[in-house]
Amino acid sequence: MTAGQDPAITRLRAHEMAAGLREGRFTALALLEAHLELIRDENRVLHAWSSVDEDGARQAAVAADRQLSKEGGRAIQGPAALPPLLGIPVALKDLVVTRGQPSTAGSRILKGFLSPYDAHIAERLREAGAVVVGKTNMDEFAMGSSTEHSAWGPTANPWALDRVPGGSSGGSAAAVAAFHVPLAIGTDTGGSIRQPAALTGTVGMKPTYGRVSRYGIIAFASSLDQVGPFGRDVRDAAMLLGVVAGRDEHDSTSAPMQVPDYAAELPADDDEAAASVKGLRLGLPREYFVPGMEPGVEARIREAVGALEAAGAEIVELSLPHSEYGLATYYIIAPAEASANLARYDGIRYGQSVRGEDVLGNYLATRGSGFGAEVKRRVMLGTYALSAGYYDAYYLKAQKVRTLLKRDFDLAFKQVDALIAPTSPTVAFPLGARLADPVAMYLSDVCTLPVNMAGLPGISVPCGLSEGLPVGLQFIGRAWDESRLFGLGRAYEAITASAEWRSLEPTDLPALSDPSAPAPAERLAAARA
Amino acid sequence: MATLSRADVEHVAHLARLGLTDEELGRLEGQLNHILDQYEILAALPTDEIAPTAQTIELENILRADVTTPSLPVDEALAGAPDRARDLFVVPQIIGGD
């Protein structure tokens, strides 16, 4: 068959692709080629990808087809016979290392670096049959909320090409939104999965700290970083998390806990899914309706809350009183951890190296030219916060306030089953709009970063449009309660299944293949001029 | 709380091993002070009785079996080195002259 030229198969959800492959409606190779064609035609204008491994992906697809044809008969008897992601294209954020492939973390200092080993989650994905297509663009070392801090230039938002896709996992979010892949991996240190998911109309989940191994994930802030999935619906995100979650002996902070089959737990039937919220108590934290929140975003969130209430959930207005301290606390702890983690880029063992007169000169020249402006800012902040005389005033103080932030959530979860909140106070903002003011950029994550400080799981699901751009609804859960968050996301999908916005594709998809459309770097340069 | 002077910024850059241009140092002085202003909100919050949180999951003493397993082969470990000699990373001379 000629499905390789059929763009319709790229519109399927991952679980529909899995069914199509098992039923022999198309091959894994045809599915891959359809996606590669989009990537080839559109990446200049979208710039979601920093590298694409066509050969490696084809080999994986061919191997998947071999397994599908060999075990096809068995698959009909029981779906468990085949690995869950067999033949499904998946993107990795450019900080997940894979053997022999580039992983730059969006940084000049890792240009040309080829990892000698695989991240644990890359192994998990391969065992699950996934076809890893390549690496997606990101803010350098995951520091940013717009993907504009990538050394390789920004990524566009498929809903409006002159706007950011959010960040730092903006490439993963844009690739999923633009149908370049059905699934992608991101990481979330202060909102870097949930905020780009909100801004691109995709589903993104940050699991509980410790749920997914960080082995082979290029580190930003080690007490906050967590790996998670992007998908175009909740079931797909659940399927991907189910594959990568679980204990890994190479990461001592990965928890030795059972991982539920998240996707299998979700009701297929919309009525059943919608009914599952009956009697649930959902907390609405008033502090998350922050000053500066766009009225259109607030309206969509209030409507979503109303829809859940109408479906039988009990909405409890409550307070997380220390929320106003979240931003300052985060912007001490994360840079402090980053300054320690990034000390490894010494220009001696791997990565870019610029020679100076002596060893110190090597460090200064290598790091001075290898790191971008935002990374330098954070390394400076973190070094200062940890330096002699300031440690108590900044770092220790922030760790104590972190305790208070966590306690707010602990108290809330004595009253309610989950929290419901906006993901981002605004829709996608124009390229360049927040680059000149770091604090304005930092405020992008004001509704997501307290969740990382407390180590809790959070999910962002689309809840409609404001000014033609996607709005994200966030559910926050108790530690290890990802199942409930997926269940709530699925219920919300079911409740709003017939909403008109659900059938809309990103507005600017047609322009992605327009040869006269500018690349995102050109748009950004024009915006800043 | 403190305000950073230009000399402070240069000192922190040295601690962080960042070679910065005059222009970068000047820009950072303004930006870092603006960010430090945002931290001031924390000073007024009483925390004397509060224990610090360094991590959020209550795992302790995660140990593995005391068995040796193969390490990365030397050639692979050195494959990304900008400069190598035999099985070693090459760095500029650190100790003494002749």
Side-chain angles (χ1 to χ4, degrees):
Chain A
M1 66 187 291
T2 56
Q5 306 306 313
D6 177 7
I9 57 176
T10 62
R11 261 54 178 179
L12 300 174
R13 307 291 160 87
H15 63 272
E16 296 166 333
M17 292 177 190
L21 289 166
R22 281 159 172 71
E23 290 157 14
R25 280 189 276 132
F26 43 81
T27 64
L29 189 60
L31 185 65
L32 172 67
E33 295 294 350
H35 286 96
L36 288 177
E37 193 177 316
L38 283 182
I39 295 168
R40 275 194 302 268
D41 288 350
E42 300 182 345
N43 195 47
R44 186 186 64 82
V45 175
L46 186 63
H47 199 238
W49 299 84
S50 50
S51 62
V52 177
D53 178 18
E54 291 201 11
D55 292 344
R58 281 201 187 92
Q59 284 170 23
V62 168
D65 282 330
R66 209 176 299 131
Q67 200 172 347
L68 281 159
S69 63
K70 191 172 69 185
E71 303 195 26
R74 218 193 302 167
I76 288 163
Q77 290 161 24
L82 289 167
L85 295 181
L86 188 62
I88 307 294
V90 178
L92 301 178
K93 188 177 181 178
D94 201 16
L95 49 50
V96 181
V97 305
T98 48
R99 190 179 159 83
Q101 291 296 315
S103 314
T104 73
S107 183
R108 210 170 292 287
I109 211 162
L110 285 173
K111 186 178 164 84
F113 168 69
L114 301 177
S115 170
Y117 71 103
D118 275 327
H120 178 73
I121 64 159
E123 285 178 15
R124 286 282 189 95
L125 285 166
R126 203 160 298 132
E127 285 162 14
V131 174
V132 174
V133 178
K135 304 285 176 73
T136 53
N137 198 25
M138 57 182 283
D139 285 298
E140 184 176 5
F141 289 108
M143 298 177 192
S145 309
S146 69
T147 314
E148 293 166 294
H149 292 305
S150 168
W152 320 125
T155 296
N157 189 321
W159 288 86
L161 296 180
D162 56 354
R163 289 176 185 259
V164 304
S168 65
S169 312
S172 288
V176 169
F179 303 98
H180 285 193
V181 271
L183 296 173
I185 289 288
T187 57
D188 189 316
T189 304
S192 281
I193 291 173
R194 290 161 288 157
Q195 183 258 12
L199 270 45
T200 57
T202 54
V203 174
M205 145 87 62
K206 173 226 152 340
T208 311
Y209 182 84
R211 185 56 103 178
V212 184
S213 166
R214 292 178 294 111
Y215 180 72
I217 307 299
I218 296 172
F220 163 14
S222 299
S223 82
L224 303 166
D225 294 347
Q226 188 56 197
V227 175
F230 285 94
R232 287 192 292 267
D233 70 10
V234 169
R235 177 177 302 279
D236 282 4
M239 191 161 75
L240 182 54
L241 181 63
V243 166
V244 296
R247 168 80 183 149
D248 164 28
E249 62 171 24
H250 290 111
D251 175 4
S252 60
T253 65
S254 69
M257 297 185 68
Q258 279 294 318
V259 177
D261 187 341
Y262 299 116
E265 289 176 350
L266 296 174
D269 178 69
D270 272 355
D271 290 340
E272 192 187 332
S276 68
V277 300
K278 280 207 182 82
L280 280 185
R281 290 170 64 87
L282 300 178
L284 190 63
R286 59 182 70 96
E287 291 83 0
Y288 280 53
F289 293 88
V290 294
M293 167 170 273
E294 291 172 351
V297 171
E298 174 158 2
R300 290 301 90 75
I301 301 299
R302 301 270 182 206
E303 286 161 18
V305 170
L308 286 157
E309 190 168 25
E314 185 187 345
I315 306 296
V316 182
E317 269 213 45
L318 49 73
S319 173
L320 299 171
H322 295 93
S323 298
E324 64 175 310
Y325 303 102
L327 192 76
T329 307
Y330 177 86
Y331 276 98
I332 293 171
I333 289 176
E337 294 186 11
S339 72
N341 272 325
L342 269 56
R344 74 190 64 186
Y345 300 102
D346 55 13
I348 292 170
R349 293 164 301 155
Y350 55 88
Q352 177 184 295
S353 180
V354 179
R355 288 298 190 213
E357 284 182 12
D358 51 17
V359 169
L360 178 62
N362 274 17
Y363 295 154
L364 296 176
T366 296
R367 294 162 61 81
S369 63
F371 292 145
E374 181 61 24
V375 170
K376 286 174 180 169
R377 220 158 19 236
R378 305 247 190 141
V379 168
M380 291 287 288
L381 275 175
T383 303
Y384 177 66
L386 292 173
S387 64
Y390 298 101
Y391 181 92
D392 284 4
Y394 291 116
Y395 189 64
L396 184 62
K397 180 80 186 188
Q399 286 192 313
K400 290 179 167 186
V401 181
R402 187 175 183 180
T403 303
L404 296 172
L405 287 161
K406 186 167 183 296
R407 203 177 279 173
D408 283 354
F409 283 110
D410 291 343
L411 290 173
F413 286 124
K414 288 190 174 150
Q415 289 183 63
V416 296
D417 299 302
L419 297 167
I420 180 168
T423 306
S424 159
T426 70
V427 294
F429 45 93
L431 281 161
R434 295 185 191 172
L435 272 183
D437 181 356
V439 173
M441 186 73 87
Y442 298 170
L443 281 164
S444 310
D445 291 327
V446 69
C447 296
T448 46
L449 53 83
V451 180
N452 300 71
M453 304 291 291
L456 302 173
I459 190 170
S460 181
V461 297
C463 68
L465 304 177
S466 167
E467 297 169 43
L469 295 163
V471 177
L473 176 70
Q474 184 177 207
F475 294 107
I476 302 161
R478 298 187 181 103
W480 317 112
D481 207 9
E482 288 86 356
S483 289
R484 188 184 303 279
L485 300 188
F486 285 128
L488 279 164
R490 174 75 187 94
Y492 180 70
E493 282 177 350
I495 292 163
T496 54
S498 58
E500 194 194 344
W501 56 268
R502 285 233 171 255
S503 60
L504 300 177
E505 287 195 346
T507 324
D508 278 353
L509 283 187
L512 290 177
S513 53
D514 177 355
S516 65
E522 296 165 313
R523 291 180 197 274
L524 176 57
R528 300 186 87 182
Chain B
M1 281 195 192
T3 302
L4 284 178
S5 67
R6 169 69 175 240
D8 294 331
V9 175
E10 289 176 13
H11 174 63
V12 175
H14 175 75
L15 290 176
R17 302 293 185 259
L18 290 172
L20 301 176
T21 63
D22 282 346
E23 194 201 334
E24 285 179 309
L25 288 165
R27 198 166 45 229
L28 278 166
E29 185 185 337
Q31 290 175 338
L32 295 179
N33 278 307
H34 180 43
I35 295 166
L36 293 180
D37 287 345
Q38 317 301 312
Y39 296 169
E40 268 176 34
I41 184 178
L42 299 180
L45 185 65
T47 52
D48 286 351
E49 309 299 315
I50 308 295
T53 294
Q55 58 110 342
T56 51
I57 48 172
E58 281 126 33
L59 292 175
E60 283 177 29
N61 295 338
I62 303 295
L63 304 173
R64 62 163 174 79
D66 186 16
V67 291
T68 55
T69 52
S71 301
L72 206 57
V74 171
D75 272 335
E76 288 184 35
L78 287 167
D83 197 1
R84 69 175 281 192
R86 301 192 305 276
D87 287 351
L88 304 166
F89 294 102
V90 173
V91 295
Q93 185 170 2
I94 295 170
I95 302 166
D98 340 71

